[in-house]
Amino acid sequence: MTATRTRTRADGACVAPQPRLRADALRNRERIIGAAREAMVEFGAEIPLDEIARRAGVGNATLYRHFPDRLELIHHVTLSVMDRTADKAERALDEEPDAFQALRRFVFAAVEERIGALCSLLSDGVDRDHADLLAARERLEGAVEALMDAARDSGQLRTDIAVGDLMVALTQLTRPLPGLGHPSSKFGGGCADFDRFVYRHLLLFLDGLRAPARSELPGCAATLEDLRHS
């Protein structure tokens, strides 16, 4: 017998149980999510779905069979970015013997995921309180907190910052600038070698995280809960 699963749409509505995907269908779904993640991060959520299907190497019908509308696709792209970023935080903590080096490795990995693009994706009608997104957010927050706790306990991370401070900075560093899309894109403007500016500023930011602190920060350390209610 073919196993089934119950799905919940991005708007929270329940969907009738669906047959578990075959291996080839699962590969297509993952290719679509991967292509959509790269395209939306690079060009924004309004990139034509036809272009995403082309990048994924599938037909339009295949894309719509997996994701009946744009919001459903955005929902799963958001989950993908959060899950991939949490994976990298957990691996950095497990694999790096030096706590600040683990945090540094995660920061670069998060930049490569372009997590700043999540803000624009989440503003396009996606249910931020969907159970899947809440679970992914909790996992990511826990993984980053563990990294920061380890770096703080080692005496290398300043004590007056929290997860929210780190994520705000990474978001600002990786958010696409208005009108500065990929140089060869018909969907945006162009900024040659934009990454080199990101990584220069990222190294300045990492230097500012190190203890002992060279300045006193105004206000209080920000948590992700603070950001959600700001």
Side-chain angles (χ1 to χ4, degrees), residues 137-205:
R137 184 186 302 151
E138 182 177 351
R139 179 191 169 209
L140 176 57
E141 182 173 0
V144 179
E145 280 184 339
L147 273 172
M148 295 183 72
D149 285 345
R152 194 178 293 112
D153 291 344
S154 74
Q156 298 180 80
L157 177 67
R158 57 191 299 166
T159 59
D160 55 352
I161 59 171
V163 177
D165 297 300
L166 179 67
M167 299 310 287
V168 164
L170 292 181
T171 296
Q172 295 302 318
L173 280 170
T174 57
R175 180 179 293 181
L177 296 177
L180 298 181
H182 192 276
S184 61
S185 170
K186 62 183 178 181
F187 306 112
C191 181
D193 297 327
F194 179 66
D195 278 356
R196 71 186 175 92
F197 296 106
V198 172
Y199 288 109
R200 280 175 58 84
H201 296 165
L202 183 61
L203 288 172
L204 289 171
F205 169 64

Side-chain angles (χ1 to χ4, degrees), residues 28 31 35 52-59:
N28 280 341
R31 286 165 62 187
I52 292 173
R54 185 192 67 77
R55 285 177 168 228
V58 301

Side-chain angles (χ1 to χ4, degrees), residues 38-115:
E38 293 177 4
M40 289 181 178
V41 162
E42 194 172 356
F43 304 119
E46 294 307 312
I47 186 169
L49 297 185
D50 292 355
E51 172 65 13
I52 292 173
R54 185 192 67 77
R55 285 177 168 228
V58 301
N60 291 351
T62 298
L63 186 150
Y64 285 107
R65 186 161 56 249
H66 287 280
F67 305 102
D69 57 46
R70 185 179 296 274
L71 281 182
E72 182 81 5
L73 182 55
I74 291 173
H75 171 82
H76 285 281
V77 168
T78 303
L79 283 175
S80 174
V81 173
M82 294 176 78
D83 285 343
R84 285 164 58 95
T85 306
D87 286 343
K88 292 179 178 182
E90 291 166 353
R91 284 202 298 272
L93 185 60
D94 288 342
E95 296 172 4
E96 294 293 340
D98 180 272
F100 197 88
Q101 179 59 30
L103 180 62
R104 185 181 188 276
R105 171 174 157 178
F106 163 73
V107 166
F108 275 93
V111 167
E112 289 172 0
E113 287 294 329
R114 295 296 193 267
I115 60 171

Side-chain angles (χ1 to χ4, degrees), residues 1-6 17-26 66:
M1 179 181 292
T2 302
T4 61
R5 58 179 180 172
T6 300
Q18 299 291 321
R20 191 175 299 278
L21 293 176
R22 301 189 313 272
D24 58 340
L26 183 59
H66 287 280

